[in-house]
Amino acid sequence: MRTIRHFWPDLNDWLERVPDSRFQPFVTYDKRFLVWWGLSLFLFQLRARRQLDFDLDCRDSEVLKNLNRLANTKQDTRPVHKTLHHFLGHSGVEPYAILRRQMLQRLIRSKALDAARLQGCFVIALDATGHLVFREKHCEHCLVQKHETHTVYMHQLLEAKLLGPANMALSMGTEFIENQDDNAALAAEARKQDCELKALSRLMPRLRGDYPQLRLCLSGDGLYACGRTLQLAKDYKCNYVLVFKEGHLPAVWREFQTLLKLCPENRLEHRPSDGVHQEYRWVHELSYEDGEGRTWSFTAIQCQETVHEETTTYAWITDLHVSKNTVVEVATKGGRHRWHIENQGFNRQKNSGLNLEHAYCTHPELFKAYYYLMQIAHLILQVFEAGSLLKHLAAECGRTPWQLFGSLKNIAQRLLESFRYRILGDSVFVPDPTERIQIRFDSS
Ligand SMILES: [Zn+2]
């Protein structure tokens, strides 16, 4: 729990600064208490909202004392899960978007994430995922997918995740992919559905507004290698490393293959580990005219990786500096580390107690507040799991965290047990305001 020190008491401070008008006055519960109550749902990976009433029951446990300590409150009862629901219904999404930004800015300012920078930029992985799926029409904003025998109604979202050291993927921007109000009057068949590229056009101005000075490098799969993304990168002053697929840009790919033969000097062999051989080749100033007649010029990189005599070809387009000294880093940090968003991002959130695809709530706006709470809790969990404090704790027992806990699921379970049965000690908080808290992340 000492990881909390990294954000506490600032998290309470930030919450205090969210205007009260954001919250309907709650006579019984302080807003700080209710936000910690909501975060607990995900910090302890309880899987479903009603589990709050059982796993965090206060009888015969230290839950109430611990929650009061975290929230700096003096509540004498705990809420029930419906109270959280009611509370989020009044607060909406915005306060949690602000909290997430404050927490991430804290990590950025303290330079805790700097080891992951690529040519000075933070790599921002863009990816969309399914969130909720319904068999019946759920709301006016549902995306509609017709199958032969049935129709499904979905909510998806586009995430911008900052790729940090130690395989962290920290939620930085979220745009819900949903049909907009302006075409709600049209029949479902006539509506042009929202999609991740349209969502990107809405996400970028907000992301830039939240982080006006930060150097960003957008990283996305082949779908993003198009005029829209390149224009957005230009408009919002971002660099980019995007997957280059033959099928997606066939004419540019042909040109690329021809030019590769003409620049044999742009070549580097690399052996990242035993049995793995990589050959990098690249072409500068490859030109591409998009569907709207805009012309773009970028560097294209090809990596042929051979593992046990099986060769796979990867390629990217980028406006970063590419040379023999930088090509491996650009391809690795900007291109291949994208899978962190899959592993540490969506897969983790779907296949753990965070339970991303579970409908914590089906209200067309309210489910978004749950989503933000999940992202904030996951940020805290990643800092906890990847940080040096857990390593030190395990080292005191002469083991690694993995040897001590065995799995992330076990860590979540132990965290819940200690929250239930142990009173958070003073060491969880900062007794001396001059004491500096430092959490390091393994950048190897
Ligand atoms: Zn819906």
Side-chain angles (χ1 to χ4, degrees):
M1 290 305 292
R2 289 174 69 198
T3 302
I4 291 294
R5 297 202 314 186
H6 206 57
F7 299 110
W8 188 98
D10 297 338
L11 205 134
N12 287 335
D13 264 2
W14 296 328
L15 273 172
E16 271 313 291
R17 274 183 258 149
V18 177
D20 272 339
S21 57
R22 281 272 173 205
F23 304 91
Q24 188 90 338
F26 272 76
V27 184
T28 326
Y29 291 105
D30 189 288
K31 66 184 175 190
R32 294 196 306 270
F33 191 88
L34 287 173
V35 171
W36 278 107
W37 177 246
L39 285 175
S40 303
L41 174 59
F42 300 105
L43 284 174
F44 303 118
Q45 304 183 46
L46 305 184
R47 306 197 72 89
R49 186 157 51 94
R50 63 193 292 276
Q51 284 308 112
L52 279 168
D53 296 348
F54 304 105
D55 287 333
L56 293 186
D57 192 7
C58 296
R59 283 165 294 186
D60 305 321
S61 81
E62 308 297 348
V63 166
L64 188 61
K65 276 188 199 144
N66 284 338
L67 278 171
N68 270 323
R69 186 83 206 258
L70 283 173
N72 218 355
T73 50
K74 292 191 171 68
Q75 308 294 160
D76 48 19
T77 57
R78 69 153 170 99
V80 292
H81 75 270
K82 285 184 180 156
T83 320
L84 174 65
H85 201 61
H86 193 53
F87 173 69
L88 295 178
H90 286 290
S91 65
V93 167
E94 204 52 32
Y96 311 106
I98 295 169
L99 268 190
R100 177 181 66 179
R101 190 183 74 217
Q102 304 268 30
M103 295 172 79
L104 200 52
Q105 277 174 342
R106 154 64 55 91
L107 289 174
I108 291 167
R109 274 202 303 269
S110 67
K111 303 189 185 303
L113 308 175
D114 273 2
R117 282 189 192 247
L118 170 61
Q119 296 186 14
C121 303
F122 283 111
V123 178
I124 308 304
L126 303 167
D127 210 357
T129 190
H131 182 200
L132 302 175
V133 179
F134 303 96
R135 282 305 186 103
E136 313 252 303
K137 184 175 173 184
H138 155 258
C139 72
E140 288 305 321
H141 306 293
C142 286
L143 301 175
V144 184
Q145 198 175 69
K146 287 191 188 291
H147 297 266
E148 230 167 69
T149 53
H150 63 285
T151 301
V152 288
Y153 300 88
M154 298 175 301
H155 282 258
Q156 299 179 341
L157 51 88
L158 171 67
E159 270 279 309
K161 288 200 195 279
L162 187 154
L163 301 185
N167 296 349
M168 291 192 291
L170 307 168
S171 175
M172 190 182 206
T174 303
E175 190 61 44
F176 293 89
I177 304 173
E178 52 188 16
N179 291 324
Q180 308 295 305
D181 285 330
D182 53 357
N183 50 12
L186 296 173
E189 298 75 37
R191 290 169 78 173
K192 209 153 189 258
Q193 299 216 61
D194 198 16
C195 68
E196 58 186 284
L197 283 175
K198 287 186 200 167
L200 182 64
S201 296
R202 300 193 297 274
L203 181 131
M204 285 309 299
R206 289 208 285 123
L207 190 67
R208 202 25 113 194
D210 282 350
Y211 301 90
Q213 303 296 333
L214 206 59
R215 292 187 59 196
L216 304 175
C217 174
L218 305 178
S219 170
D221 65 22
L223 174 82
Y224 293 93
C226 65
R228 186 193 286 251
T229 312
L230 299 180
Q231 186 65 46
L232 286 167
K234 185 178 172 194
D235 291 347
Y236 296 101
K237 298 185 171 45
C238 299
N239 294 100
Y240 59 86
V241 178
L242 304 167
V243 170
F244 185 12
K245 282 236 154 79
E246 180 178 5
H248 194 67
L249 299 172
V252 191
W253 182 269
R254 279 195 300 276
E255 177 79 2
F256 177 41
Q257 294 303 317
T258 308
L259 290 173
L260 273 179
K261 294 181 193 116
L262 302 178
C263 19
E265 69 284 6
N266 293 348
R267 182 175 175 277
L268 183 86
E269 287 193 47
H270 183 61
R271 289 184 186 278
S273 57
D274 260 2
V276 182
H277 175 261
Q278 295 174 335
E279 184 200 45
Y280 289 93
R281 298 168 70 198
W282 59 96
V283 168
H284 295 294
E285 293 180 30
L286 191 61
S287 146
Y288 156 56
E289 187 178 321
D290 71 21
E292 298 190 29
R294 295 171 293 205
T295 306
W296 306 96
S297 171
F298 39 64
T299 299
I301 303 171
Q302 174 174 289
C303 167
Q304 288 191 311
E305 181 176 88
T306 308
V307 186
H308 305 303
E309 295 179 12
E310 197 170 316
T311 301
T312 315
T313 302
Y314 303 93
W316 302 272
I317 58 170
T318 181
D319 62 345
L320 290 174
H321 175 71
V322 177
S323 69
K324 282 190 169 125
N325 294 329
T326 63
V327 66
V328 175
E329 194 188 23
V330 169
T332 309
K333 281 187 173 179
R336 307 197 58 179
H337 277 188
R338 269 198 71 262
W339 62 264
H340 290 166
I341 194 174
E342 276 303 321
N343 275 345
Q344 183 54 281
F346 296 140
N347 283 353
R348 170 76 194 284
Q349 291 185 6
K350 285 177 184 175
N351 301 319
S352 71
L354 292 167
N355 218 358
L356 174 69
E357 290 166 306
H358 169 74
Y360 284 93
C361 148
T362 56
H363 185 282
E365 283 303 312
L366 198 42
F367 75 84
K368 297 176 184 173
Y370 283 92
Y371 180 80
Y372 273 94
L373 282 179
M374 182 191 297
Q375 300 312 310
I376 292 170
H378 192 201
L379 190 152
I380 297 174
L381 285 174
Q382 289 186 70
V383 169
F384 164 64
E385 291 158 2
S388 48
L389 292 176
L390 191 64
K391 240 183 222 168
H392 289 164
L393 174 78
E396 283 168 20
C397 311
R399 304 187 206 179
T400 64
W402 193 251
Q403 289 167 332
L404 190 61
F405 296 104
S407 69
L408 290 173
K409 193 177 164 201
N410 291 344
I411 294 181
Q413 205 173 348
R414 295 280 285 277
L415 207 57
L416 175 62
E417 282 164 18
S418 38
F419 198 73
R420 281 168 58 86
Y421 300 118
R422 293 184 62 170
I423 297 175
L424 293 177
D426 286 339
S427 68
V428 171
F429 306 93
V430 186
D432 174 0
T434 60
E435 187 196 344
R436 283 180 60 85
I437 312 161
Q438 201 169 32
I439 299 181
R440 290 200 176 84
F441 302 111
D442 189 356
S443 56
S444 58

